[in-house]
Structure formats: structure tokens, C-alpha cells
Amino acid sequence: MDTVARFDEQRLFHSTGRGHGAGLDPVDGLGLRPAPLAGYRDLARLRYDFPLVLVAAGPAGGEVRSLSAVIDGVLREVAPRGLEGERLRRHVLRLEREIRALAAGGTRSTLGELWTQASQRLASPQDPSVQQVLSGIGDKLDLDGWVVDCDGGMPADVVTHLWQAAQRRKGASFRRAVDRLVVRLSDILRAAFDRSAAGRQPDTLRATLGGAYRDAFDFGALSKLLVRNVPQDELAPARRQRIEWARDVLQSQPFHVDERLPAPPGAPAQLAFRFTDCASAVEAYRARLPRLAEVVKAIAIAELEADGRYVEAKDDPFFAHFDESALSPEDLALFPDYLVCIPAGENDAPRNAGLMDMLSSGLPVKVLVETTDLVEEAAAGTGHFAFGVRAARLANTATGLGGVYVVQAAASNLYAMRERIGRAFEHRGAGLLSVYVGTGAPAVLPPYLLCAAAMESRAFPAFAYDPHAGTTQAARFVLADNPQPEADWPVAPLDYADEAMQRVRQEVPFTVADFLLCDRRYAPHFARVPRERWNDAMVPADEWLALDAKRAADRVPYVLAVDGDDVLQRVVVDAKLMQAVVCTRTFWHRLQEQGGIHNSHAAILVARERAQWEAAAKAAQAAVQGAPAAQPSGAAVPQEAAAAPAAGDAPAPDAPARDPDVAWIETARCPSCNECQTINDRMFKYDANKQAYIADLKAGTYRQLVEAAESCQVAIIHPGKPWNPDEPGLDELLERAKPFR
Amino acid sequence: MTMPVTQCLIRLHEEHHQLEDYQGGVPRWCSGCGDNAILTAVQRLCRDEGLAPERTVFVSGIGCSSRFPHYMKTYGFHGIHGRAFPIAQGVKMARPDLAVFVNTGDGDCCSIGAAHWIHAIRYNMNLTAILHDNQVYGLTKKQASPTSPIGTKSNTTPRGSYLQALNPLTVTLGVTNVSFVAQAVDWIPELLYDIVRKAYLHRGFSFVRILQRCPEWLPKQFEPWLHDPGKTLLLTHRDGLAVPPALARTYRNQVEHDPTDLDRAREIASSTDPIPVGILYHNPAVPCYEDVHGVGEVRTAEQVRRGLEAEFDKVTVWPQGGDGARAAA
Ligand SMILES: Cc1ncc(C[n+]2csc(CCOP(=O)(O)OP(=O)(O)O)c2C)c(N)n1
Ligand code: SF4
Ligand code: SF4
Ligand SMILES: [Mg+2]
């Protein structure tokens, strides 16, 4: 009876969100966290993806590595198996923990710096060798770079780092190609100079000879000799002008400048391609477009000239009208990508209003948009919650534009998705990177965990859309970065000890209700139920969702949490919040369909096919039972088909019989040895493949025909019968012709 | 990098060549010489693959067969005896955009040039090497070559040669980094063409040994094979040769051979009777030297000049009292 009364209180709380009190404790202040997160209390003691090292130099330059991966690499190098290795390993792992704590505490520095700091902190007066050992190992690190933890600035740092690496690669290959063209154009000019009168003046000739024998020659006399009959300039003026123009444009192109080299005087300044708002990026892009078109034109002209394929009559008119309207996405792809990292909180700034227009116009620009808080009340003022709706709308709209590369991810997942993000910079055209950073929520968790929880709970699912990956939506849209993408919610085993201290394992889902438990603003929608009041009418939130309305009304949903002492708690969830859970699940289902998981059209089709197939099978069975002498199904194969030999085994059919009286050559077998044409080149000729045939039988005698047959190395000339019965000596010739008939 | 615009314009003005466009000087080979068939096959290849004459180079050593570049209206380099491969490699290194072929004889390749041959295989540069194997020194009037079958009577071996012939196929198949090996015979022009074409299309060092008749010095050498098609074994495969039906009627001795199977390739290659014809081995995955070695650098005229000066300085004999002391130091 008592139980019933308690359940009524719980039900009242569930449907109204009111009635905290006896047996329904407010959660605020209890320090609860979802039970699946029980093990992640002190992140600094855990080895996980963060912090990251943005590798600056060395063979891995441009990569993003996790600190743990770097440390593992070092350990593989320096720590031998066995006791000594074990000691080293322990020291280095302590150092890793120290670096992790420094980064989490907000220290921004390079790995080398942090390594030094951390090893100083670990130094102990008892054992001075520790610091020595650790800094010795630090010297063996073959990489360095900024260390970033999972905080608000991290996404922009990581994206910028990957973008820079892609630009460096692109720039290097662009410059190599352009430098080669410049050299080839210069070679043309130089060769023309060498052959001109100017190139054969005494001073020029002297300069071409090495030092030792310079005095032994009379360059004046040599020049007089060589200058005779040389053209003034073997390059036509128009061509020279064209080549010089292209060379100059290429030498001064400002798009890919090698920043490693000291800029020579007059060299173009490196342009900036990273911006913090959309309008500036678009303005810069438009302002530079004419110059870019000029460089494209110069490259095309240089390529044609270098290959000697420039045809003035055809190419001049084409290039006369060449401007930015002629540029294709492939042309643009050779130039740097623009990057816009919109600072958190400025998504709605007027200078970013053009974001969608910019993406849809296919500009070579990649935009990072950060979402700091997923909580928004639905605009209609219904009082219902919506999560990540704006970010979802943004990413979805961008996906709908067709040509935009889209990645949506929580910050915690950027390391795992680094290759996908890197690939965005190989995509020609626009790209959108939408990242949840979780810094705007008054959360009980550090940003890394909050972000991970947002993704686990489907509140901010990860997805990627690559418009050029394959022809089907399933190939282009990837949901695989989410945990258990086929399920409604990811389920993980939770191990705990019960009252009798027995180990219990339970499969626990991670729903959006679990995620919201981490956000203090939602505390009023939860109530902790003390253990003595637990009852059978309480069901886990995911199971509750599966109930029909009537049964659901008799139950209350709960989620499992742990308190500060890691004691397992049940927390009931009110109806309003459960509605938000349903919304999130609906939205997740839509994403699943886009990614080819549980596709409803496919399901309908499969059901229809199955019904038809079953009906047909039934009918066939009925027919078989009706027929008195049923045959086994295999015998339905037509007999002729079964008897036909495989095509490959068929012997090659014999050639159609030839009239032995008609002269001919097996042309396809002729190895072009010339013999027959040496005898008579009007009777025998070559076809387009340079193989002999009889072009004109009457252009020669039967004797010549027989002689050719005799001298043909491969015996493919067949003389047939003589066309002129009056030719002398025919009897003897016919006898000689016999072997070739 | 080639701009889409350039590609588009080039396609727009694409020139189409006829066989005659590739015909250089009139061949001075003896009439009936098998080299003619090879020349025709290669000219057909150039025409059908649209190789621009100014972007194609034939490099050779010394011998009848090495006169090949003179008969092609493309760029050519008639080199010195046995050194066709290093010259071709140099050309390819400096101008990877050119199609580079090597024509070499059995003396040129397997005798004086053997060391270069082995390393050319190992370097696996993107070249098409054609070995004109007439089993004799033709140009110098009949001396035994390394590929002359034992007992071959020649001016250097009047009582018949004493050594077993070297098999260029098994040698090539035994070298590290081998990536394409095929055998053709000059007297089956259709297959000769097809094999040379497959060799050209392979990216890497393609080695085609062509058994070539020398009617001048060894007129009877291949007679048994000319008269009995059953003594030729055609290697067929989905990724290898497709034998035209008309030819299949004559050459019925066929076996399916998977060109990725190196062991089987070596086994087949060691047969001299029947003569295997087709693609013995093909592995497109072997890296090309020009891809793994840093040839990406751009060499300006100035750098080339400095490099050459430095090389020449090493062997320069300096006049007494001149700058010699400095250079020799
Ligand atoms: C360094 C050097 N040694 C020797 C010769 C003489 N020589 C000219 S051609 C030749 C043999 C060519 O035989 P092969 O390569 O089989 O060509 P073929 O004439 O048979 O096509 C020789 C030894 C030479 N030209 N140079
Ligand atoms: S003689 Fe025979 S092989 Fe020579 S060209 Fe004439 S037909 Fe061809
Ligand atoms: S000697 Fe032999 S290889 Fe040389 S051209 Fe004459 S037939 Fe051909
Ligand atoms: Mg020879």
C-alpha cells in the first residue's frame, strides 16, 4: 500500500514536474552525474585523446597527434622490455600525467616547453636522476608543436593547423609546377638569345667559357664568324612578348608564396587567407579574383608555349577574352582555400549573415562555426525544449546545398575525426565545420566530458557529408563516427557492487536525459528517489519510451546516476523533458535514414518484395502439390542450356574456305619486311597499318607474284592462278606456286 | 599540374597522326629483316596512342637493331654500345613528361650492356625497353651472342658455340623490382603490336623480348616455329593478351597465365620450345625510381650550369701555372 502511495507521488512529479519533497529529492546540489560517466572523474589521471599536439615540424609536421600517442611512440623507442624499461616507463607516464594536468590547468605552450616544466616538477631531491633521465628522453622527441586541451579555443586551433598543412602541401606542388614553367619559358628565351646576333657578341661568348682557357681564344674573331647569317631574333615579337608576360606574371604570383624563404626585394607579400568573419573573406576573395584569373591565364599560356602547342590563330582570340568568368572549380582548387573561424558567440553577427550565400556560391572557403550551448527554447514559445536545433539546421541546410563538404562534430571528437576534417581541405568548393564546444553551459562536467556526452546522447550527433564521395547518398553521408550508429542510444555495460558486495553487470543506455542531467538548468525536471522507495513501476527511460501510451501512463521513467561517493541512484524524469528526449530521437532517426540506416523507403520495398516472394512461393507449392508427378525444382532448367558447352571451351571455328585460284595475301600476318615491294611496288602495297596486300594484280607478272611468294619470309603470299594465260613459262611457274596455294 | 584550360585547348587542337608521320629515314636493314616488323608495330603504337613526335624519344645502343631511332620521325639518341639504358634513364630523369623507349640488341643488352640492363630493371623507371633478339651480332657480320643457342656456328665460333644460351626473360624476372616482362615474335604482327602496346601502357620499366629473324646471318634459325604454329604457346589472360579469333584458329596452343604470378612466369619463361608469347609478368605496384627519388626539384639553367662545371672541373687538365693549383686542391 505504501508502495502505491509512493508511486502516485512519483507519477505526479513525472506529469507535472512538481512535488519535490519527501522521497523526491531535488538533484541540484547532489553532485549527480550519469552512471556511465562514473569512471571519468579525474580526467588528468586518465589516458585519452586529449590534450593534442599540433605537430609543427619533422616528418609528421602538419599532423594532429594525441599526447598519449606521442608518449607511446617515445616509449616504444626508449623503454626496453624488462625491469629497467619498466622504471623508465613509469617515469614517462608520470610525466605524461603532469603535462596533461598543466594543459588542463590552462597552460598554453609547446610540447618541448611542457616537457621541461613537467620534468622539473617531478624532480625530487632524493632521486636527481629522474629529471636527467626525463630530459634526456625529451631530447629524443623528433617532433614538437603546440599542446592544446579540449577547451574553447581548441577547435579553431586544430582546424587552422590542419588547414595550414593542407595549404602548405598545395602551395609546394603549385610552386614546383610554376617554377618549372618559369624555367622552361626562360629556356626558350635563352635559347633564342644564344642563337641571335646579340648572343654571339664577343662578351657573351666569353662568358660561356670556363675560366681556364679564356685567354686562349680570340672571341672577337669567333663572334664575327658566328654572327654571319644568324637572325635578328628568332622569336616573333608577339611570341616573345607573350612568353615574357607569362613568365613575369608567374614569377610575381602572390597566392602561394614560400614563407620559408627570405622574401627577395620586390617579392609579392604573402596574402592572408584566414579570416574571422564571412564578409571579410568574401571581400578579399572578390578583390583578388582578377589577379587569380591572370595567373591561371599565364599558366595556361606557359604550358602551351613550353610544349610548343600555342597556335596563335586559335588561341589568341580565346585568351583575349579570358577573365574570372572563365574560371572553373578545378582552376580555383589550385589556389589557397579561404578559412573563416567564426569566434564563439559571433554566429549571429551581421558580418556573418552571408554565411549561407557564401557556402552556396561554391567559394573555395571552409567555415568553422562553433556552438557553445545546445539549449534553446523552441521559438514558438510552447515551453518545449529543443537541443542543437540551430546547429542542426545549419549543417542540414549546408548538406542540402549539394556541393558543400559538411562535418558536424563535438569538440571531444575532433581528434577521432581529424582525417575527415583534413579531407575537407582537399574538397574543391565550400565546406562547413560545425562543432559543439560546450563552453556555454553551466555544467557539472569539464568541457571534454560534456561534449562527449552530447555526442553519445545524440543531442549533437557527429556526421560528415562529402558531396564527391560516390553517387549515392549512403556513400556521401557518413554517420559512422557515432557510437553504435544503428541503435537509438548507445548501450554500454555498467559494473557495480550491490548491497551484498556482489559484482553486478547491467547494460545501460545513454540517452539525452542523461546528458541533460549534467546541465544544472534542467535540475527541476529531475528528482532523485531514495533506494528504499524504488519500485517496479520505475522503468529505465529508454524502455519507458517503448511502452504504449496506456502502459506508459502507469510507469515513470528514470535514469541511473552516481553521486559524489559513486553510489548508484535512480533519478525520475518529468514528462516535459521526456518529450525533448522523443524529439531528439526523432531527429536522430532522420539522420540514420540519411546515412542509410533503417531507411524507411528501403524497409517498405523489402516488405513488399518479401510479400510478393512469399505469395509466389506459396503458389508454387500449391501447384506442386496439385500436380501428380512433381519434378524436383532443379530439373526446371531447359535441357539444351544445360548441354551447351561453356563459351570459352568452344573451339575456334575454321576460316571460310578461300578460292585457291585467286591470288591474296594474309595481310594481318605480314611483318612488313618489304620483300614483295622490292620485287614490284605497284603490285604490292602497304595498308594503313603498313601490312602488305595485293593492290593491283595486273601491274606485274605471274612470275613476280611467284617470286614474291617464294621470298616472303612468313609464306603468306598465295599466287592463285595467272591472270594472263599468255605469259611465257607458266608451266614451270605453276609448279613453283604449288606450295603456296 | 596542367590547367583545365590548357587541356581543353590541347584537345581542341589535337593533331591526329598517320603512320607515315612517324616514318623517319628509309630503313637500311636487309630485306626480310625482322626489325621491320618491330618498326611497324612501334609506329602503329605511336599513332594509336597519339604520341606527339616531339614528346617521344627512342634511345638505342649499337647494332642493326640500334639503328631504330633513325627510322622514327621523333626525337632519338643513337648511343654507344651497351649504354642505351643509362642514356634513356637520364632523359627520363630530366624530362619525365616524355615517352621514352629503348631499342637494344642481344649483344648490346645482354653482352656489353648487361650491367646497365640489370640496374635498369631494378630502378624501374617508366621506360619501354625492346630487346631485338636475333641471337647473333648482326651489324658486325655474324658473331655468336650470349643468346645464341648452343652449337650456333658463327665467325667467332666456327665449330659451334659451346655455352648454353642466356635467357633474357628468366634473367629479367630474377632481378629485384621487376615489374613488366613479355615476349613477342616478329612474325606474328598482331600480337607483337598488342604486347608492345601493353608494355607502353605499363607505368614502370617494361621489358619486351622480341625474337627477331636475321635472314642475313641465321636464315634458318626460327624456321621450325614459322612452319608449325603448334610450337608457339600463347599466354592468354583477362589482364594479358586477348587473341583475335582469326589468329586463334592458327595458334591453337594456348594456356591461361595470370601475369601477377611470378613463379609461374619464371617457369614459363624458361621454355624455349614451345616459344611462349604474351605477358609473362606484370606488377603495377612496384614504385618507379622517378617517384621515390626527389626529381621534383626544379633545375634552373644556372643550377645545371653550375653542376656541369663542377663535374667537368673534376676531369679538367689545368694549364700549368693557371688556376690549376686551386682546382686540384
Ligand atoms: C665498345 C664497342 N665494342 C664493340 C663494338 C662492335 N660492335 C658493334 S655492333 C656489335 C654487336 C651488336 O649486336 P646486337 O646488339 O645483337 O645487334 P644486332 O646487330 O644483332 O641487331 C658490336 C660488338 C662497338 N661498336 N663498340
Ligand atoms: S614479303 Fe611477305 S612479309 Fe614481306 S612485306 Fe611482303 S607480304 Fe609482308
Ligand atoms: S644483318 Fe640481320 S639483323 Fe641486321 S639488318 Fe640484316 S637481317 Fe637484320
Ligand atoms: Mg643481335
Side-chain angles (χ1 to χ4, degrees), chain B residues 162-225:
Chain B
Y162 299 103
L163 295 177
Q164 284 286 357
L166 175 146
N167 181 334
L169 296 174
T170 51
V171 171
T172 306
L173 285 166
V175 177
T176 320
N177 280 345
V178 58
S179 68
F180 186 101
V181 180
Q183 175 154 272
V185 292
D186 83 60
W187 56 92
I188 314 181
E190 277 165 284
L191 297 186
L192 173 62
Y193 166 76
D194 200 17
I195 291 168
V196 171
R197 185 167 166 274
K198 294 230 157 56
Y200 165 74
L201 292 177
H202 166 64
R203 197 172 181 289
F205 184 81
S206 354
F207 181 81
V208 188
R209 179 213 199 183
I210 302 174
L211 292 171
Q212 171 234 325
R213 290 161 304 114
C214 169
E216 186 67 22
W217 307 120
L218 297 175
K220 302 247 171 299
Q221 193 77 334
F222 296 110
E223 221 155 57
W225 287 274

Side-chain angles (χ1 to χ4, degrees), chain B residues 3 11 67-68 145 245 261 263 276:
Chain B
M3 294 310 280
R11 233 173 289 128
R67 293 195 49 78
F68 201 93
S145 93
D261 186 343
D263 287 339

Side-chain angles (χ1 to χ4, degrees), chain B residues 65 105-107 132-138 145:
Chain B
S65 42
D106 43 317
H132 303 231
D133 190 354
N134 56 3
Q135 309 186 337
V136 69
Y137 292 2
S145 93

Side-chain angles (χ1 to χ4, degrees), chain A residues 665 670-676 686 692 708 712-714 716-717:
Chain A
I665 294 183
C670 164
S672 333
C673 83
N674 290 339
E675 286 275 17
C676 52
Y686 281 145
C712 175
Q713 297 278 323
V714 283
I716 53 172
I717 303 180

Side-chain angles (χ1 to χ4, degrees), chain A residues 174 176-180 183-184 187 190 207-208 210-213 296 299-300 303-304 307 309 311 314-315 318-319 322 328 330-331 334 652-655 668-675 678 688-691 713-714, chain B residues 1-6 9-10 13-14 19 23 31-33 36-37 39-40 43-44 47 52 54-55 95 97 186-187 189-190 213 215 226 245 248-249 251-252 295-301 305 309 317-319 323:
Chain A
F174 181 91
R176 206 164 37 239
V178 163
D179 288 351
R180 180 165 293 128
V183 166
R184 293 185 66 186
D187 281 349
R190 215 172 55 94
T208 58
Y213 293 100
V296 170
I299 296 176
E303 283 174 338
L304 291 169
D307 275 0
R309 285 173 186 252
V311 184
K314 294 173 190 148
D315 294 334
F318 177 82
F319 284 112
F322 192 93
S328 68
E330 289 79 21
D331 297 327
L334 297 171
D654 279 322
R669 289 183 56 204
C670 164
S672 333
C673 83
N674 290 339
E675 286 275 17
T678 323
N689 284 336
K690 216 171 140 187
Q691 292 181 298
Q713 297 278 323
V714 283
Chain B
M1 180 176 81
T2 308
M3 294 310 280
V5 190
T6 318
L9 286 172
I10 287 177
H13 311 158
E14 200 66 89
L19 215 64
Q23 178 68 53
S31 68
C33 174
N36 290 295
L39 181 66
T40 302
Q43 288 172 342
R44 272 179 73 185
R47 176 195 63 190
E54 72 276 14
R55 301 172 69 81
R95 287 291 301 274
D97 56 314
D186 83 60
W187 56 92
E190 277 165 284
R213 290 161 304 114
L226 261 105
R249 269 182 244 124
Y251 293 94
R252 289 176 189 246
V295 289
E297 290 158 41
V298 181
R299 279 184 294 265
T300 61
R305 195 188 158 86
E309 297 280 12
V317 180
W318 297 90
D323 300 339

Side-chain angles (χ1 to χ4, degrees), chain A residues 448-638:
Chain A
Y448 170 77
L449 275 189
L450 188 70
C451 290
M455 205 187 83
E456 286 275 322
S457 66
R458 322 295 195 203
F460 199 86
F463 69 80
Y465 176 76
D466 180 353
H468 296 327
T471 51
T472 60
Q473 175 73 5
R476 293 189 286 246
F477 192 89
V478 181
L479 219 50
D481 298 296
N482 294 284
Q484 302 169 29
E486 324 73 34
D488 279 0
W489 317 104
V491 177
L494 177 73
D495 289 321
Y496 59 91
D498 65 9
E499 286 117 329
M501 293 314 278
Q502 294 303 299
R503 184 195 174 99
V504 181
R505 167 166 283 205
Q506 190 181 339
E507 297 291 331
V508 180
F510 198 86
T511 69
V512 77
D514 295 86
F515 167 63
L516 294 174
L517 184 60
C518 311
D519 189 323
R520 299 178 59 183
R521 286 169 296 182
Y522 289 91
H525 302 280
F526 293 99
R528 195 256 316 250
V529 178
R531 173 164 283 270
E532 63 278 11
R533 297 200 175 213
W534 290 7
N535 60 62
D536 292 344
M538 298 170 79
V539 291
D542 63 318
E543 287 175 26
W544 186 84
L545 286 176
L547 298 176
D548 58 45
K550 198 172 146 294
R551 285 160 58 87
D554 290 337
R555 310 276 196 283
V556 290
Y558 75 87
V559 293
L560 281 177
V562 288
D563 60 18
D565 297 326
D566 274 345
V567 176
L568 203 60
Q569 308 284 348
R570 280 185 183 182
V571 180
V572 294
V573 188
D574 81 358
K576 197 167 153 192
L577 205 127
M578 283 310 286
Q579 230 160 20
V581 176
V582 173
C583 282
T584 306
R585 191 183 59 175
T586 309
F587 188 73
W588 169 245
H589 284 170
R590 268 192 33 218
L591 279 185
Q592 281 184 318
E593 282 213 27
Q594 284 195 55
I597 300 171
H598 308 316
N599 186 296
S600 57
H601 296 290
I604 293 168
L605 254 176
V606 168
R608 193 164 65 207
E609 287 290 313
R610 166 164 299 169
Q612 278 175 5
W613 178 77
E614 280 171 358
K618 223 180 234 164
Q621 206 175 13
V624 168
Q625 280 160 358
Q631 287 185 337
S633 59
V637 181

